[in-house]
Amino acid sequence: MDPVELEHVIGFSGDHANVVCCHPRDPRCVLVGMGRNVVLQNLDDDHDQKFLQGHDEAVSAVAVSANGTFVASGQEGSKRSAVPEAEIIVWDLAQQVDVYRLRGIRGGVRSVGFSSDEMFLAGSGMDGSLFIWDMQTGELLANMSTNNVTTSLKWDVPRPGDNPRRPEYLLYATVGHQVMSFRLRYSVASMQYQVQEEPFRLPAGLVREYMDCTLSPCGEMLMLCTSVGDVNVYQISSQVYRASFPLCSGGAQTIHSEGPFVFVGGGDGTIKRLVGQGADWRLDNEISVQGSVSSLTSSRDEHSITLVAGTTSGNVYTIDANTMAVVREIKSESQGLVAVAFKRGSSVDEVLAGFESGAVRAFDARKGGGRQVWEIAVAHRDGVSSLCSTHLFYATGGLRGGVRLWSRTSKSQLFEFSDHISRPVTGLLPDVKQAHLLHSCGADKCVFTYDLKKERRMVQHQWRDGGVLTALTQRLDSENELLTAGTDGCLLTWDCDVEHPVSQVQVHGQALGFSCVQVSPLTGHFVAASSTDARVRIWDLATGALVATTPGNGFVGISAISWSPDEKQIVAVGEDKCITVWNFYADAVLQTNEEKHK
């Protein structure tokens, strides 16, 4: 058994369009790009998740095929290679394994889309490229370069062609101020499909930036939304402009057709429902949500249609399409998570999270949890950089210095220490033996110990060599020394009675610094640390042996980690604006150690 296993992800950044899509066969399942993972989320149960893991950067586009056979996920350009290649992975959804890894796009994948019969996949990049692959073989069918970023791709239904056994396909692409169409015809001479661009006539003088497109419910009209808030309607058979009507003051960002309706998501946070036919459409109903609507998808069963919308504020909304009422809202944070901790001294398992916005929030970490429990809206005006929970208080550190203590009951501020002047407080830690002592470290290379009863600083250390101190933890054995990690890849051991570090160990080397570190809180047998390669490593403190490493595709820039009080889980947060929970199986480690010593 692998000692670490991904258990749960909380958070949706809203940074990318086209990263939310509903499962075509399971109306309660939605696929969401969260960090480097594609999460299969049960809409009825926040904790019921499955994961598609394989990307080394944040997922930037997701699409599922019409029958639910395949999922395609594209990513941002890789920062691990000289060429910022952005891979598209095609997954077998039933088996949850990758089928193809498609390369060629650079700088980031903007959009992906399957043909309705799952024969072809189209993908576009931030570099202006447009690719089409054959899903029977994974072979590249066409590679085209456009003069702008292709923001959306829409396949028309296959139609009979010259070859009775090989239908023709039409692909529409919105590219800046133009709409492009590509026809796929089977060539007997080459024994494969050939791609040919066909003209798409736009009205003279109508200059719009096209954001997304969809087919009308009957399939006879192509409907496009624009950055100025218009929806333009074109007749596919003649490619004649038929109608244009304004809808969204903040620009129409995404458009989606389902059942008898067409839905438009706006930059002003509105989702509008249109009804009609041909070129005659009218606004039927609407709803307002928080943030610009970046992703819009739907599922349906025999009785109802459910909309799922993702917004730039980091929220995901489930909406009853018949009443246009919000059924459920999953709140996230549009700014980065920079701190995480478990609540101490409570029968309720709560994960505390700090944000660059200055907020501190608590989430239910029990099975079936994930919901927000409470919030301090502005703990630090310039942003939270670290936090912890003591048996007496909540403690938070700010990005501009300052350690603040908060009441566990009222969540009101009690007092503040201002020793880390204008530099981030990078670590906060309640003493493992004396609950009234609190330790901190900062980017100023200082380590302080505070007496919370006397409300004053007791001990000060300063590291004058090496890198910036990024994290702080404490051993449960030996003399309960403090451990600090730094950007130079060093672990320093501090004794409260000695001015300078009593030991210094360079674990990685200067090329791979630490971002956070923590000793396991129950037994103290293990220490977990995250590095600049976005992995969490776990060592056995007694032997110094590395016992577990998370996959490199698990995180995007780890800001903080925390053990659960029972040592069975590790929680991490980072630049992907997600809270990620990993299971840790200590028994598997102990069993492996026993086998090695036999």
Side-chain angles (χ1 to χ4, degrees):
M1 176 187 290
D2 195 328
V4 289
E5 174 190 60
L6 184 58
E7 163 69 18
H8 193 69
V9 179
I10 305 168
F12 170 73
S13 70
D15 289 342
H16 300 286
N18 307 315
V19 290
V20 180
C21 56
C22 288
H23 193 296
R25 296 298 179 90
D26 184 355
R28 307 316 303 161
C29 178
V30 62
L31 293 85
V32 185
M34 293 185 180
R36 295 178 178 179
N37 308 291
V38 178
V39 179
L40 281 68
Q41 175 70 62
N42 186 335
L43 292 174
D44 294 329
D45 183 354
D46 287 342
H47 207 80
D48 184 4
Q49 294 181 331
K50 297 180 178 65
F51 309 97
L52 303 177
Q53 298 176 267
H55 291 284
D56 64 359
E57 295 296 340
V59 173
S60 57
V62 179
V64 61
S65 61
N67 293 325
T69 306
F70 299 118
V71 171
S73 56
Q75 67 170 59
E76 295 177 352
S78 177
K79 300 180 180 66
R80 302 189 182 189
S81 61
V83 178
E85 194 165 54
E87 190 175 55
I88 293 176
I89 303 178
V90 179
W91 307 87
D92 180 316
L93 187 53
Q95 301 296 322
Q96 296 176 29
V97 296
D98 60 299
V99 179
Y100 304 122
R101 289 180 174 262
L102 308 175
R103 297 176 173 87
I105 294 176
R106 298 183 179 184
V109 177
R110 179 61 171 82
S111 184
V112 288
F114 290 97
S115 60
S116 60
D117 59 0
E118 303 179 338
M119 287 288 292
F120 301 104
L121 173 71
S124 67
M126 299 302 294
D127 59 350
S129 61
L130 176 59
F131 289 72
I132 301 176
W133 290 275
D134 187 329
M135 286 294 94
Q136 303 301 301
T137 62
E139 294 181 355
L140 179 64
L141 193 65
N143 175 9
M144 297 158 284
S145 179
T146 62
N147 58 3
N148 208 326
V149 177
T150 300
T151 55
S152 69
L153 299 163
K154 183 66 180 181
W155 291 89
D156 201 348
V157 295
R159 302 179 186 277
D162 298 334
N163 189 320
R165 295 188 301 170
R166 304 282 186 172
E168 290 186 357
Y169 299 82
L170 196 61
L171 173 66
Y172 296 101
T174 55
V175 186
H177 300 295
Q178 60 180 325
V179 178
M180 304 179 72
S181 61
F182 302 91
R183 189 174 297 275
L184 279 67
R185 286 192 178 98
Y186 187 78
S187 170
V188 177
S190 63
M191 300 294 288
Q192 66 176 7
Y193 274 90
Q194 301 292 324
V195 181
Q196 180 180 357
E197 182 182 350
E198 295 193 343
F200 193 97
R201 296 188 297 272
L202 293 171
L206 185 65
V207 179
R208 297 283 188 268
E209 182 180 359
Y210 295 99
M211 307 303 296
D212 198 4
C213 64
T214 191
L215 296 175
S216 63
C218 295
E220 79 281 6
M221 297 288 174
L222 182 68
M223 306 182 72
L224 305 121
C225 62
T226 74
S227 61
V228 298
D230 292 348
V231 171
N232 296 337
V233 183
Y234 294 84
Q235 188 168 358
I236 291 177
S237 58
S238 59
Q239 286 192 358
V240 174
Y241 166 81
R242 295 294 302 275
S244 178
F245 46 93
L247 275 184
C248 306
S249 59
Q253 302 297 314
T254 181
I255 186 167
H256 179 76
S257 172
E258 182 63 66
F261 305 120
V262 171
F263 302 92
V264 181
D268 55 1
T270 59
I271 301 174
K272 301 177 184 289
R273 188 178 73 190
L274 309 179
V275 296
Q277 58 182 352
D280 183 19
W281 292 88
R282 61 180 177 82
L283 177 63
D284 179 61
N285 204 343
E286 65 180 287
I287 188 175
S288 294
V289 295
Q290 183 180 354
S292 175
V293 182
S294 57
S295 295
L296 193 60
T297 183
S298 67
S299 65
R300 63 185 303 181
D301 55 25
E302 296 178 357
H303 308 290
S304 63
I305 299 173
T306 300
L307 279 179
V308 179
T311 72
T312 54
S313 65
N315 296 345
V316 177
Y317 295 88
T318 304
I319 300 167
D320 185 326
N322 296 312
T323 63
M324 292 300 285
V326 173
V327 177
R328 200 154 185 232
E329 177 183 1
I330 302 174
K331 290 186 177 182
S332 302
E333 176 66 33
S334 59
Q335 298 196 46
L337 288 123
V338 292
V340 66
F342 274 86
K343 181 178 179 179
R344 290 192 175 193
S346 173
S347 59
V348 178
D349 293 323
E350 291 178 8
V351 176
L352 313 180
F355 298 84
E356 289 178 351
S357 63
V360 173
R361 297 191 178 102
F363 298 89
D364 187 349
R366 295 173 297 181
K367 200 73 174 177
R371 65 182 179 86
Q372 183 176 311
V373 181
W374 55 261
E375 174 187 50
I376 299 173
V378 185
H380 294 265
R381 192 170 299 277
D382 295 308
V384 175
S385 59
S386 57
L387 58 82
C388 72
S389 170
T390 79
H391 292 280
L392 304 172
F393 310 101
Y394 295 119
T396 62
L399 285 168
R400 296 295 299 274
V403 174
R404 294 179 178 176
L405 281 296
W406 305 83
S407 167
R408 288 172 67 100
T409 54
S410 66
K411 312 302 184 294
S412 60
Q413 183 179 334
L414 300 175
F415 50 90
E416 178 178 8
F417 301 111
S418 302
D419 299 281
H420 299 284
I421 302 174
S422 299
R423 301 298 300 276
V425 180
T426 56
L428 282 175
L429 180 71
D431 192 86
V432 296
K433 292 294 186 181
Q434 303 179 71
H436 66 284
L437 295 183
L438 178 70
H439 308 285
S440 72
C441 71
D444 54 4
K445 299 186 179 183
C446 289
V447 180
F448 299 117
T449 298
Y450 302 101
D451 188 322
L452 302 184
K453 290 182 178 179
K454 298 179 179 179
E455 299 183 17
R456 66 185 180 90
R457 189 185 74 208
M458 299 294 293
V459 181
Q460 174 180 351
H461 300 288
Q462 187 169 13
W463 174 237
R464 301 186 183 277
D465 303 318
V468 170
L469 303 181
T470 58
L472 176 69
T473 189
Q474 188 175 17
R475 296 187 68 138
L476 302 187
D477 58 359
S478 186
E479 297 182 4
N480 305 128
E481 297 102 334
L482 297 176
L483 299 177
T484 59
T487 56
D488 54 2
C490 284
L491 287 178
L492 305 175
T493 303
W494 304 84
D495 188 308
C496 287
D497 298 325
V498 181
E499 179 181 358
H500 300 291
V502 296
S503 71
Q504 174 181 343
V505 179
Q506 193 165 61
V507 179
H508 289 316
Q510 295 183 0
L512 197 60
F514 287 110
S515 58
C516 37
V517 65
Q518 191 178 63
V519 170
S520 58
L522 183 63
T523 65
H525 290 168
F526 306 100
V527 60
S530 62
S531 307
T532 50
D533 63 350
R535 296 174 184 264
V536 174
R537 293 173 173 84
I538 302 172
W539 287 271
D540 186 320
L541 271 175
T543 64
L546 179 66
V547 297
T549 304
T550 60
N553 56 12
F555 307 94
V556 179
I558 305 170
S559 302
I561 60 173
S562 181
W563 287 90
S564 64
D566 59 6
E567 294 185 359
K568 292 182 178 180
Q569 291 182 322
I570 295 176
V571 177
V573 299
E575 296 173 4
D576 54 11
K577 305 171 187 176
C578 294
I579 303 171
T580 308
V581 182
W582 293 78
N583 292 330
F584 175 66
Y585 300 102
D587 292 342
V589 174
L590 296 175
Q591 181 179 350
T592 302
N593 290 341
E594 290 177 359
E595 292 174 353
K596 288 181 178 179
H597 289 89
K598 283 183 179 179

